[in-house]
Amino acid sequence: MAGRISAFANGLYAPGALRAFAARLEQDRPDIVHTHELYPLLTPWLFEHCTRAGIPIVHSCYDFRITCPIATHHDGAAVCTRCADHGAHHALLRNCRENLPESAAFALRHAVAGWRDFYRRHVSRFIVLTDFSRDWLHAQAGIPLDRIGVNECTIPASPDPVDPGQGGYFAFAGRFVPEKGLDVLIAASRITGLPIHIAGPYGSDPAPLVAQGLPVTITSSPQSLAAVYRGARALVVPSLWFETFAIVAAEAMAHGVPVIASRIGALNDTVREERTGLHFVPGDAADLARQMRRLWDDPALCRSLGATAHADVRMRFSEDVHFQRLMDAYEQVLFSLRR
């Protein structure tokens, strides 16, 4: 109980961590502070220390933490924007963490960040992963577009891409949680009779899926996950939430494997329709089944999409491209200070 109370308090304001951070600022005097995930150890209160010290901030957004207390905009059943539209207290009213004290803590810390307007007041440059996230941050958080840059994740392209036309199943890779839409893929597989293979991260419980007779791999290394990708006709990303990038989609593409993805959120950016993969209506198992059958019956199309996907990863997600965009963001921030 003491640990939970401490975590709750630190999620609102972490005095020890902030004092240490302020001392480090004074000692090092950096040109820029680049922040990433701030909860629960630091919190956005550190922005005020940076501003007082005259140090600009670049902040990377990997999820929807700025506009949603639980960072997903999904309530377990559907896309949800209640907190963004009507106030953070809805996270408590709907018990979004499925634990009332946790839901209260998440709602309160989100409300405090909103009341203090931490992000708009202090951050000079935001970095997001896709055009969708850029537009979302602008529309939902009121961040000016000229303060938001897009820099996708770095994903290395495999030097020996596979022939996906020879793939023996449709793969799923991700957590076994409602917003990932795994049930939609299972239903589509039953409609088509086509094989699927499910990969979950270490710590996932495969028992409910195994009980249904589904093949499951709990991946303990990048190599074991890559083996699942490389045996697939396509990766299916049936997400019911917006996603902010979908790393698994880019990872599969890096091996020359096309992706069938929900037509929702950032998946429209990461997976390019009819170029690196196909899209389907989110939550619509019949529509997904049609796209699965299309790739299964057309190996040439599968190969074409896979080859373009591999080339897309080399061009868009390389370390050099990512590094240059990051340096450009830093230069823009420093240039604005010199003006």
Side-chain angles (χ1 to χ4, degrees):
M1 177 62 72
R4 293 194 174 202
I5 293 173
S6 175
F8 170 77
N10 284 333
L12 292 176
Y13 187 86
L18 290 171
R19 282 194 297 271
F21 178 78
R24 188 63 179 267
L25 279 185
E26 180 64 27
Q27 173 186 320
D28 294 346
R29 297 300 301 174
D31 295 318
I32 290 173
V33 168
H34 188 164
T35 57
H36 300 268
E37 181 57 79
L38 297 171
Y39 292 111
L41 299 179
L42 291 172
T43 78
W45 286 94
L46 68 82
F47 292 159
E48 298 197 344
H49 289 276
C50 295
T51 297
R52 283 196 291 270
I55 301 170
I57 302 159
V58 173
H59 181 68
S60 287
C61 306
Y62 303 103
D63 51 31
F64 297 103
R65 184 78 62 193
I66 293 176
T67 56
C68 173
I70 63 170
T72 64
H73 280 299
H74 196 277
D75 64 6
V79 168
C80 174
T81 60
R82 290 179 183 87
C83 291
D85 296 337
H86 307 295
H89 62 285
H90 282 271
L92 173 59
L93 295 178
R94 299 187 65 81
N95 193 17
C96 289
R97 292 285 297 176
E98 298 182 348
N99 177 299
L100 282 174
E102 283 192 18
S103 295
F106 277 59
L108 183 56
R109 77 183 191 186
H110 189 78
V112 168
W115 294 333
R116 300 289 295 187
D117 201 14
F118 282 131
Y119 294 95
R120 281 190 303 181
R121 283 200 301 129
H122 297 294
V123 176
S124 299
R125 187 78 177 169
F126 296 83
I127 296 176
V128 297
L129 303 179
T130 59
D131 292 347
F132 172 81
S133 292
R134 178 198 61 205
D135 296 342
W136 182 266
L137 198 59
H138 172 62
Q140 296 293 324
I143 307 299
L145 286 173
D146 62 5
R147 289 169 58 191
I148 310 172
V150 176
N151 192 10
E152 291 104 335
C153 294
T154 296
I155 306 291
S158 171
D160 58 336
V162 299
D163 173 6
Q166 298 296 315
Y169 51 79
F170 290 93
F172 170 92
R175 294 174 295 123
F176 305 155
V177 293
E179 62 266 26
K180 291 296 184 180
L182 177 55
D183 287 347
V184 180
L185 172 58
I186 294 171
S189 175
R190 289 172 178 157
I191 291 172
T192 60
L194 295 173
I196 62 175
H197 192 113
I198 299 164
Y202 180 78
S204 302
D205 179 11
L209 298 168
V210 172
Q212 299 180 56
L214 297 167
V216 181
T217 295
I218 300 302
T219 56
S220 57
S221 67
Q223 292 75 24
S224 61
L225 179 56
V228 175
Y229 293 143
R230 293 176 70 83
R233 181 68 57 107
L235 177 76
V236 178
V237 185
S239 293
L240 302 173
W241 73 300
F242 294 134
E243 299 281 359
T244 52
F245 181 74
I247 286 177
V248 295
E251 287 177 341
M253 290 160 54
H255 291 281
V257 176
V259 178
I260 304 176
S262 300
R263 191 179 293 110
I264 188 171
L267 289 172
N268 292 302
D269 297 326
T270 305
V271 181
R272 301 190 179 189
E273 176 73 16
E274 298 285 350
R275 294 177 59 193
T276 64
L278 305 173
H279 289 98
F280 69 97
V281 176
D284 189 334
D287 195 29
L288 172 56
R290 283 190 288 271
Q291 301 292 41
M292 291 167 64
R293 175 56 65 185
R294 183 180 173 194
L295 283 189
W296 192 263
D297 293 343
D298 192 344
L301 173 62
C302 195
R303 292 186 186 102
S304 174
L305 293 174
T308 304
H310 184 259
D312 206 43
V313 170
R314 285 203 320 270
M315 179 183 69
R316 296 169 61 199
F317 307 145
S318 74
E319 288 186 358
D320 289 343
V321 170
H322 181 89
F323 180 78
Q324 188 56 57
R325 288 176 178 164
L326 183 60
M327 293 302 102
D328 289 345
Y330 291 165
E331 284 295 331
Q332 289 169 358
V333 168
L334 296 176
F335 177 76
S336 66
L337 285 180
R338 292 194 292 264
R339 286 191 300 176

